[in-house]
Amino acid sequence: MAANRVQGGIQQLLTAEQEAQHIVNSAKSAKTARLKQAQEEAEKERAEYRSQTELEFQGKVAQSSGDSGANVKRLEQETEAKIYHLKVEAARISQDVVNMLLKHVTTVKK
């Protein structure tokens, strides 16, 4: 009878150990599944954030490009106006400069 009790106790311990192992395996599987789910969710959020950020960037680039074209045109107009102004001034004073140079070249100092 004592051997029977010992045998029953051992069998009970083995059963408890198997149940514990089952619980541990289930917990590991649940943890792995949750980690995989969390990783997929994080990847989805990252992709959404990236696409949103890219869309905002493209909008800013498009806006800047429009402004850049206007700036280039404005700068070209300002440059042309300055060049025209310089040509007009050069034409206006060129005869005075020539006369002044001739005067200094042809004047002999002692």
Side-chain angles (χ1 to χ4, degrees):
M1 191 148 154
N4 223 2
R5 264 177 111 200
V6 171
Q7 188 65 23
I10 292 175
Q11 187 60 36
Q12 208 175 15
L13 286 174
L14 288 173
T15 303
E17 186 180 355
Q18 286 177 350
E19 287 179 23
Q21 189 62 40
H22 238 26
I23 292 170
V24 168
N25 288 340
S26 294
K28 283 182 181 179
S29 295
K31 179 182 175 184
T32 303
R34 179 61 188 125
L35 285 173
K36 185 175 181 180
Q37 181 186 6
Q39 187 176 16
E40 289 170 356
E41 289 173 1
E43 180 64 28
K44 182 180 176 185
E45 286 180 22
R46 187 191 67 79
E48 288 174 1
Y49 177 76
R50 182 179 181 131
S51 66
Q52 178 185 0
T53 306
E54 182 66 24
L55 186 62
E56 290 173 4
F57 174 73
Q58 293 300 331
K60 288 180 181 181
V61 166
Q63 185 180 20
S64 296
S65 294
D67 291 345
S68 179
N71 287 338
V72 168
K73 189 170 185 173
R74 181 183 54 81
L75 289 173
E76 285 176 352
Q77 289 173 346
E78 288 177 6
T79 303
E80 290 298 322
K82 288 179 182 179
I83 290 171
Y84 176 77
H85 177 71
L86 289 173
K87 285 181 178 180
V88 167
E89 286 299 307
R92 185 178 64 81
I93 64 170
S94 66
Q95 190 58 46
D96 293 338
V97 171
V98 169
N99 290 337
M100 183 179 66
L101 286 172
L102 283 173
K103 179 181 173 186
H104 283 289
V105 170
T106 58
T107 303
V108 178
K109 291 186 179 179
K110 292 185 185 181

PDB file of all heavy atoms in Angstrom, residues 3 32 38 61 64 68 99 105:
ATOM      1  N   ALA A   3       3.783   1.503  -1.318  1.00  0.00           N
ATOM      2  CA  ALA A   3       4.351   1.608  -2.656  1.00  0.00           C
ATOM      3  C   ALA A   3       3.322   2.209  -3.604  1.00  0.00           C
ATOM      4  O   ALA A   3       3.666   2.980  -4.506  1.00  0.00           O
ATOM      5  CB  ALA A   3       4.784   0.234  -3.141  1.00  0.00           C
ATOM      6  N   THR A  32       4.947  35.270 -27.818  1.00  0.00           N
ATOM      7  CA  THR A  32       5.489  35.355 -29.169  1.00  0.00           C
ATOM      8  C   THR A  32       4.457  35.943 -30.130  1.00  0.00           C
ATOM      9  O   THR A  32       4.792  36.816 -30.945  1.00  0.00           O
ATOM     10  CB  THR A  32       5.930  33.958 -29.663  1.00  0.00           C
ATOM     11  OG1 THR A  32       6.877  33.418 -28.742  1.00  0.00           O
ATOM     12  CG2 THR A  32       6.543  34.020 -31.046  1.00  0.00           C
ATOM     13  N   ALA A  38       2.531  43.172 -32.097  1.00  0.00           N
ATOM     14  CA  ALA A  38       3.026  44.512 -31.764  1.00  0.00           C
ATOM     15  C   ALA A  38       4.002  44.998 -32.836  1.00  0.00           C
ATOM     16  O   ALA A  38       3.983  46.175 -33.225  1.00  0.00           O
ATOM     17  CB  ALA A  38       3.698  44.504 -30.396  1.00  0.00           C
ATOM     18  N   VAL A  61       7.879  71.051 -51.058  1.00  0.00           N
ATOM     19  CA  VAL A  61       8.760  71.155 -52.230  1.00  0.00           C
ATOM     20  C   VAL A  61       8.004  71.810 -53.378  1.00  0.00           C
ATOM     21  O   VAL A  61       8.536  72.693 -54.059  1.00  0.00           O
ATOM     22  CB  VAL A  61       9.297  69.765 -52.641  1.00  0.00           C
ATOM     23  CG1 VAL A  61       9.928  69.800 -54.023  1.00  0.00           C
ATOM     24  CG2 VAL A  61      10.300  69.272 -51.613  1.00  0.00           C
ATOM     25  N   SER A  64       7.630  75.445 -52.587  1.00  0.00           N
ATOM     26  CA  SER A  64       8.914  76.128 -52.745  1.00  0.00           C
ATOM     27  C   SER A  64       9.283  76.274 -54.218  1.00  0.00           C
ATOM     28  O   SER A  64       9.848  77.288 -54.624  1.00  0.00           O
ATOM     29  CB  SER A  64      10.018  75.371 -52.018  1.00  0.00           C
ATOM     30  OG  SER A  64       9.772  75.367 -50.639  1.00  0.00           O
ATOM     31  N   SER A  68      10.143  79.516 -56.010  1.00  0.00           N
ATOM     32  CA  SER A  68      11.472  79.596 -56.603  1.00  0.00           C
ATOM     33  C   SER A  68      11.386  80.120 -58.028  1.00  0.00           C
ATOM     34  O   SER A  68      12.191  80.951 -58.442  1.00  0.00           O
ATOM     35  CB  SER A  68      12.139  78.222 -56.583  1.00  0.00           C
ATOM     36  OG  SER A  68      13.397  78.283 -57.179  1.00  0.00           O
ATOM     37  N   ASN A  99      37.129 112.719 -72.258  1.00  0.00           N
ATOM     38  CA  ASN A  99      37.717 114.066 -72.208  1.00  0.00           C
ATOM     39  C   ASN A  99      38.691 114.201 -71.040  1.00  0.00           C
ATOM     40  O   ASN A  99      39.762 114.785 -71.180  1.00  0.00           O
ATOM     41  CB  ASN A  99      36.618 115.134 -72.108  1.00  0.00           C
ATOM     42  CG  ASN A  99      35.835 115.253 -73.387  1.00  0.00           C
ATOM     43  OD1 ASN A  99      36.322 114.888 -74.458  1.00  0.00           O
ATOM     44  ND2 ASN A  99      34.633 115.758 -73.296  1.00  0.00           N
ATOM     45  N   VAL A 105      46.293 112.901 -70.202  1.00  0.00           N
ATOM     46  CA  VAL A 105      47.340 112.312 -71.047  1.00  0.00           C
ATOM     47  C   VAL A 105      48.096 113.400 -71.807  1.00  0.00           C
ATOM     48  O   VAL A 105      49.307 113.319 -71.975  1.00  0.00           O
ATOM     49  CB  VAL A 105      46.727 111.252 -71.986  1.00  0.00           C
ATOM     50  CG1 VAL A 105      47.744 110.807 -73.043  1.00  0.00           C
ATOM     51  CG2 VAL A 105      46.215 110.070 -71.208  1.00  0.00           C
TER      52      VAL A 105
END
